């Protein structure tokens, strides 16, 4: 995966974090340009020659490493290495976009860490949507050699290939010249963006951890980023897209099971109210149904308004994805080093991301509520033609318990949908007097995956029962797990 500061997507962040994709660097030119600007400035620059926060007017020289040490204070459960790896990819891409003023050599160290299974030991709590200071300070001290890395060697699919080859081709310029970002790993051998050249090291990734000695002035610029928050947001958007796509397949089963009308899905209906998500959802569901006529004039909203409600969730997801991907490729640096000056600014504030994710989580509740509504119809003989609760004999409970499970999961989704952007925080003697809590918005978006999957799995399990012969009462744990596995294939 080539990183260039411009083309990183939510899908690529997920791929790098969970699928072990290796990275290369397209060019260090913009990072070098910003570094040159930073080196040439002589006046007061926030975080380089001054303190931070309420200490912004205090002149300080050479205090950068102490700043890093003082900001390492993570708390709560450890973050899984895949999410930490995704954070490294996001921060590397941001640095390549330029504007940070950080020594571009740190980009080489980050690429090396990503490609050889090194991640910082991060914890859950410590950010409020104005910069992931704790996570990135921890990363910086790992690079500096003061904190230990977590190390998991690359999986077989991502390890370098046999001697004389590489898991990915090493880019070269036309004519066979070395690629644009010829890098050096900590042992000193040449490689491309974290790739090492020797055949032995291709067979066995080097055990030497990545290292970069931070200059004092690079401390604040390196941690002035919401890379961990953006990584979580990108992972959530990618996985939720897969799950919302799967929800259309689940709805198709329910439509078939109750013989619901496809009339509300007609193209002419969507053209009369041209919301993009609505049209896409309706078209996809139309393609999954047999279009056989039904005797009912109108179905309940779970069917009749599916395209409108689920389409709105898809639109919310599209907006959130666009917002996150802008920041994945943006110079969210404070100060921003550009045009020969240091520009003090608020680009680090993640209000757009927080607001987009708040809207997305609310939309997920809407589509999950419709799923539970369809689940209710699957319990009703008036819609299925079967006994109540799809039981095999009168009075039996059949799949009734699925409604309890689905409503429990829906309650969790409603809780997670509470907006984070209605609150704020005042920090550092009021110098930092607002917070967007995008970190919490992203974390909650990730947590929405499980309850949403459970709601859809309950609907799928009941629809599958309705489409086949009723079975005697039995534990439904295995049935529900089968449905979850079917949904997981979309993820």
């Amino acid at each position: 995966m080539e990183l260039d500061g411009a083309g990183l997507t939510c899908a690529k962040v997920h791929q790098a974090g969970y699928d072990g994709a290796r990275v290369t660097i397209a060019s260090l030119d913009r990072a070098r340009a910003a570094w040159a600007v930073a080196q040439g400035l002589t006046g007061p620059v926030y975080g380089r020659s001054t303190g931070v926060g309420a200490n912004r007017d205090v002149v300080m020289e050479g205090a950068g490493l102490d700043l890093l040490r003082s900001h390492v204070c993570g708390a709560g459960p450890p973050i899984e290495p895949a999410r930490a790896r995704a954070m490294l990819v996001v921060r590397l891409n941001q640095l390549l976009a330029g504007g940070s003023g950080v020594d571009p050599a740190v980009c080489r160290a980050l690429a090396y860490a990503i490609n050889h299974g090194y991640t910082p030991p991060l914890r859950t709590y410590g950010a409020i949507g104005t910069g992931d200071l704790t996570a990135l300070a921890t990363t910086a001290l790992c690079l500096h050699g003061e904190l230990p890395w977590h190390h998991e060697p690359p999986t077989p699919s991502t390890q370098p290939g046999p001697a004389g080859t590489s898991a990915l081709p090493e880019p070269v310029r036309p004519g066979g010249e070395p690629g644009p970002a010829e890098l050096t790993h900590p042992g000193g051998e040449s490689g491309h963006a974290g790739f090492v050249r020797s055949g032995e090291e291709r067979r066995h990734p080097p055990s030497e951890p990545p290292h970069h000695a931070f200059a004092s002035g690079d401390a604040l610029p390196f941690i002035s980023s919401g890379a961990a928050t953006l990584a979580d947001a990108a992972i959530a958007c990618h996985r939720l897209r897969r799950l919302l796509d799967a929800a259309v397949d689940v709805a198709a089963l329910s439509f078939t099971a109750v013989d619901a009308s496809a009339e509300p899905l007609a193209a002419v209906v969507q053209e009369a109210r041209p919301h993009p998500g609505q049209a896409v959802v309706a078209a996809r569901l139309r393609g999954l149904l047999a279009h056989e006529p039904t005797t009912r004039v109108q179905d309940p909203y779970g069917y009749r308004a599916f395209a409108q409600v689920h389409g709105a969730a898809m639109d919310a997801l599209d907006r959130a994805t666009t917002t996150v991907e802008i920041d994945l490729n943006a110079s969210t640096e404070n100060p921003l080093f550009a045009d020969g000056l240091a520009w003090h600014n608020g680009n680090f504030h993640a209000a757009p991301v927080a607001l987009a994710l708040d809207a997305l989580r609310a939309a997920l509740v809407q589509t999950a509520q419709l799923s539970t509504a369809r689940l209710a119809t699957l319990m009703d003989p008036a819609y299925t033609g079967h006994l109540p609760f799809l039981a095999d004999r009168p009075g039996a409970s059949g799949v009734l318990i699925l409604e309890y499970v689905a409503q429990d999961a829906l309650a969790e989704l409603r809780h997670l949908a509470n907006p984070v952007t209605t609150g704020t925080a005042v920090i550092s003697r009021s110098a930092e007097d607002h917070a967007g809590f995008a970190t919490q918005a992203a974390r909650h978006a990730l947590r929405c995956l499980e309850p949403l999957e459970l709601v859809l799995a309950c609907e799928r399990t009941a629809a599958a029962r309705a489409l086949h012969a009723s079975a005697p009462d039995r534990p439904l744990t295995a049935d529900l797990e089968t449905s979850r596995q079917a949904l997981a294939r979309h993820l």
Side-chain angles (χ1 to χ4, degrees):
M1 179 186 300
E2 185 176 77
L3 300 180
D4 60 3
L8 190 59
T9 64
C10 293
K12 288 181 178 179
V13 171
H14 187 276
Q15 182 185 4
Y18 287 89
D19 298 337
R22 295 169 66 88
V23 300
T24 61
I25 292 172
S27 173
L28 291 170
D29 289 349
R30 282 177 289 178
R32 289 190 180 113
W35 185 54
V37 170
Q39 298 305 302
L41 296 177
T42 57
V45 177
Y46 178 78
R48 281 185 173 267
S49 58
T50 74
V52 299
N55 293 326
R56 62 192 179 277
D57 296 322
V58 179
V59 176
M60 300 182 71
E61 297 293 341
L65 292 179
D66 284 342
L67 175 70
L68 295 177
R69 294 168 186 135
S70 69
H71 279 60
V72 174
C73 186
I79 287 177
E80 62 178 317
R83 287 168 60 195
R85 176 182 166 92
M87 179 201 73
L88 296 181
V89 172
V90 172
R91 190 57 183 134
L92 172 56
N93 194 67
Q94 290 178 323
L95 294 174
L96 296 176
S100 72
V102 173
D103 182 351
V106 75
C107 298
R108 304 171 177 178
L110 288 174
Y112 180 89
I114 293 163
N115 288 340
H116 294 99
Y118 289 93
T119 53
L122 306 183
R123 293 189 174 271
T124 299
Y125 300 108
I128 55 175
T130 55
D132 295 314
L133 304 179
T134 293
L136 289 166
T138 300
T139 304
L141 289 189
C142 287
L143 286 166
H144 198 71
E146 292 190 11
L147 289 178
W149 292 93
H150 175 83
H151 185 222
E152 290 183 1
T155 61
S157 63
T158 58
Q159 282 200 26
T165 67
S166 173
L168 293 177
E170 294 194 21
V172 294
R173 296 182 189 276
E177 296 180 11
E182 195 71 16
L183 305 180
T184 303
H185 74 76
E189 295 185 30
S190 178
H192 183 75
F195 285 101
V196 290
R197 299 254 185 214
S198 73
E200 177 62 23
E201 287 188 336
R202 286 195 175 96
R203 288 190 298 273
H204 305 287
S207 59
E208 185 176 359
H211 180 75
H212 173 78
F214 273 87
S216 175
D218 286 347
L220 186 278
F222 181 78
I223 68 175
S224 183
S225 161
T229 294
L230 289 172
D232 280 355
I235 292 166
C237 286
H238 176 74
R239 290 188 172 181
L240 286 168
R241 183 170 302 279
R242 302 286 188 170
L243 197 52
L244 290 180
D245 285 345
V248 180
D249 296 317
V250 173
L253 291 176
S254 294
F255 265 76
T256 304
V258 305
D259 193 24
S261 173
E263 184 178 325
L265 306 173
V268 65
V269 175
Q270 319 318 315
E271 291 165 2
R273 192 191 190 200
H275 287 289
Q278 174 181 330
V280 169
V281 168
R284 180 149 178 264
L285 186 52
R286 282 200 309 271
L288 296 172
L289 299 177
H291 300 290
E292 296 178 357
T294 179
T295 58
R296 288 192 295 274
V297 175
Q298 286 199 141
D299 290 305
Y301 288 178
Y303 302 92
R304 184 157 36 112
F306 176 73
Q308 288 74 15
V309 175
H310 198 69
M314 297 301 295
D315 285 340
L317 177 58
D318 286 342
R319 288 190 293 271
T321 299
T322 297
T323 301
V324 171
E325 289 181 350
I326 287 172
D327 277 10
L328 291 177
N329 299 285
S331 297
T332 59
E333 316 291 345
N334 177 45
L336 175 71
F337 295 94
D339 296 336
L341 296 172
W343 303 85
H344 297 93
N345 68 89
N347 273 351
F348 57 85
H349 199 297
V353 173
L355 288 164
L357 293 178
D358 269 4
L360 172 59
R361 297 195 317 283
L364 297 179
V365 174
Q366 294 281 304
T367 203
Q369 286 170 336
L370 274 201
S371 178
T372 60
R374 291 189 298 275
L375 178 61
T377 65
L378 292 168
M379 306 293 168
D380 191 338
Y383 292 99
T384 66
H386 297 298
L387 291 174
F389 312 117
L390 303 174
D392 70 325
R393 66 187 189 281
S397 293
V399 296
L400 167 63
I401 195 63
L402 292 176
E403 290 195 276
Y404 285 84
V405 175
Q407 291 293 343
D408 186 356
L410 178 59
E412 181 72 6
L413 265 180
R414 282 198 299 268
H415 169 71
L416 292 170
N418 285 327
V420 303
T421 48
T422 54
T424 190
V426 179
I427 303 293
S428 191
R429 294 169 51 209
S430 300
E432 300 166 6
D433 52 1
H434 188 264
F437 294 104
T439 306
Q440 289 67 33
R443 187 187 304 152
H444 289 179
L446 280 175
R447 287 174 56 192
C448 283
L449 286 160
E450 181 178 74
L452 178 58
E453 181 186 279
L454 280 170
V455 170
L456 295 173
C458 287
E459 180 188 356
R460 186 187 183 281
T461 301
R465 173 75 70 93
L467 290 168
H468 298 87
S470 297
D473 285 353
R474 66 171 189 268
L476 294 175
T477 304
D479 299 71
L480 191 60
E481 184 59 30
T482 297
S483 289
R484 293 191 70 182
Q485 289 175 1
L487 293 170
R489 285 195 286 273
H490 285 264
L491 300 179

